[in-house]
Amino acid sequence: MRGYFVTFEGCEGSGKSTQLKLLAQKLDEAGADYIMTREPGGSPIAERIREIILDGKNTAMCDECEALLYAAARVQHIKEKIQPALESGKLVICDRYIHSSLAYQGIARGLGEEYIQSINSYAVKNCRPDLTIFLDIPPERAFDRKHGADEDDRMEQLGLAFHTKVYNGYLALAAKDPVICPVDCSGTKFETSGKIWKLLVEKGIVRG
Ligand code: TYD
């Protein structure tokens, strides 16, 4: 049986990395057969594409090139890692996936959702998530938590106005796509982690 595919989304500083670490501990304790991976990256070639995309020196990169590079990294990652793991029945947990492209490049950059769906249709094909967990925390609070943006990261340099567009983009996507489940992150990291685990149990993805 094909494994479940779960993706995590959220703004910079939303606590994704912390939540993914806590989730890994719980999955290990539960003896789950899973892999955890990330975008952009997750395979050697995709990680090299990641370096180009995020390099703070690449200020001349146009929005279309950025969107296509994310899609290129994605297809390599799918073929090399995600698809084989799903086919062997493993649960795949991915830090960011197509909804990042829709929110960042489609909505915040303004390329449009249709453009992103179209270029990603070649990359993603039928490799769609069964569940997308959106860590819901407004960017001004998220930036506070992470004590400001990383100067060397091209995406983080974009400022609060851009990241507010990303956040509103996620909310708009969640309103129309039932695969996206927002999780309120205003509590402690352990409260948020508990909510995520409960959601995975409810969806039948892990055993409670
Ligand atoms: P990363 O350092 O992994 O950020 P985070 O820890 O917040 O996930 O960098 C990934 C950056 O790439 C992040 O700013 C979001 C952005 N991104 C897109 O703009 N589009 C995409 O399709 C993906 C996968 C990521």
Side-chain angles (χ1 to χ4, degrees):
M1 205 186 86
R2 178 189 177 273
Y4 283 106
F5 184 23
V6 177
T7 60
F8 275 71
E9 297 284 353
C11 292
E12 254 69 12
S14 58
K16 258 184 318 89
S17 311
T18 305
Q19 289 307 324
L20 287 166
K21 268 189 215 134
L22 292 171
L23 178 58
Q25 283 169 11
K26 290 189 177 172
L27 289 169
D28 289 339
E29 281 163 21
D33 189 12
Y34 74 99
I35 63 159
M36 213 169 251
T37 186
R38 71 162 181 186
E39 286 210 347
S43 80
I45 293 170
E47 288 288 336
R48 290 185 66 186
I49 299 175
R50 175 190 174 94
E51 285 167 23
I52 298 171
I53 304 175
L54 298 183
D55 188 340
K57 292 192 284 299
N58 283 339
T59 49
M61 188 182 292
C62 68
D63 295 347
E64 288 81 356
C65 175
E66 178 183 293
L68 288 159
L69 285 176
Y70 278 116
R74 183 162 299 131
V75 69
Q76 185 68 31
H77 185 206
I78 292 170
K79 289 204 173 175
E80 236 184 289
K81 196 162 174 188
I82 298 176
Q83 201 70 52
L86 291 173
E87 276 164 18
S88 70
K90 285 188 198 321
L91 164 63
V92 174
I93 310 277
C94 191
D95 180 354
R96 298 192 179 279
Y97 195 61
I98 186 168
H99 293 101
S100 283
S101 290
L102 289 165
Y104 282 76
Q105 284 68 50
I107 298 172
R109 291 284 198 206
L111 289 175
E113 286 175 58
E114 218 172 287
Y115 178 89
I116 299 302
Q117 290 288 11
S118 156
I119 59 173
N120 275 277
S121 64
Y122 303 103
V124 168
K125 298 206 177 90
N126 59 357
C127 192
R128 300 265 166 190
D130 300 297
L131 171 67
T132 295
I133 294 177
F134 167 53
L135 298 184
D136 188 351
I137 176 169
E140 58 275 14
R141 284 204 52 207
F143 269 109
D144 273 356
R145 272 196 193 177
K146 102 185 271 289
H147 309 297
D150 177 352
E151 300 268 300
D152 299 324
D153 185 313
R154 209 172 53 85
M155 300 305 286
E156 286 200 19
Q157 288 166 5
L158 290 166
L160 191 57
F162 178 83
H163 291 285
T164 302
K165 282 191 202 164
V166 172
Y167 177 68
N168 291 330
Y170 274 127
L171 293 182
L173 294 170
K176 61 184 177 188
D177 186 349
V179 91
I180 305 178
C181 289
V183 169
D184 169 41
C185 299
S186 52
T188 67
K189 62 182 180 183
F190 298 110
E191 282 164 353
T192 303
S193 172
K195 288 181 196 165
I196 292 170
W197 189 256
K198 190 163 167 267
L199 193 56
L200 292 174
V201 173
E202 276 167 12
K203 300 274 177 194
I205 294 171
V206 294
R207 272 190 238 117

